[in-house]
Amino acid sequence: MGVKQEFGKKIKRMRINRGLTQEELAEAVDLSQRAMSGIETGENFVSAETIDKLVKALDTTLEELFSTDHLKVDTELRQEIDEKLDYLNNDSEKLIIVYNVIKSLLKE
């Protein structure tokens, strides 16, 4: 899969996670819904100006927008999760939050 397609999938995932429709995000970054659809499917790419607007509209950072953590293999992700859990070991409040998130993901 190419850069445009991966970037588009990331935009779509972030949009959905923030509860925005494609139309709402398109409006927030001054694009047509058709143009936003093209970005999300990887048919189109964005200008630097649109990237700035996406960062604001998605309430994110450039680092998060361009991170590729979602492309890591399962073993790498599990190792990083274990490391982060070890780091939280002394913070019972945050461990409870992590536990509840995992528990909610496992509900059927």
Side-chain angles (χ1 to χ4, degrees):
M1 188 171 294
V3 172
K4 292 191 307 185
Q5 289 80 15
E6 287 295 340
F7 184 77
K9 285 173 58 175
K10 179 85 177 252
I11 294 295
K12 182 177 181 177
R13 189 171 38 257
M14 293 177 82
R15 173 181 61 76
I16 290 169
N17 287 341
R18 285 153 177 80
L20 295 170
T21 66
Q22 197 176 67
E23 187 175 350
E24 289 169 333
L25 181 57
E27 186 176 317
V29 297
D30 296 324
L31 295 174
S32 68
Q33 184 178 359
R34 182 179 173 143
M36 183 57 64
S37 175
I39 291 167
E40 288 187 0
T41 60
E43 294 173 32
N44 302 331
F45 201 64
V46 293
S47 66
E49 181 181 342
T50 301
I51 290 171
D52 284 338
K53 291 177 182 181
L54 283 167
V55 167
K56 289 178 185 124
L58 293 169
D59 189 27
T60 191
T61 63
L62 282 172
E63 292 81 11
E64 183 182 3
L65 186 63
F66 287 101
S67 75
T68 57
D69 290 340
H70 64 289
L71 300 175
K72 292 181 180 179
V73 294
D74 289 352
T75 53
E76 287 180 90
L77 291 173
R78 286 175 192 244
Q79 181 179 353
E80 285 190 33
I81 289 168
D82 287 342
E83 290 170 4
K84 290 179 186 338
L85 285 174
D86 286 344
Y87 180 76
L88 291 177
N89 227 0
N90 296 324
D91 192 335
S92 60
E93 190 175 307
K94 288 183 181 176
L95 278 173
I96 290 169
I97 292 169
V98 169
Y99 171 79
N100 287 327
V101 168
I102 291 170
K103 188 176 170 183
S104 70
L105 289 172
L106 297 175
K107 285 185 181 178
E108 294 183 18

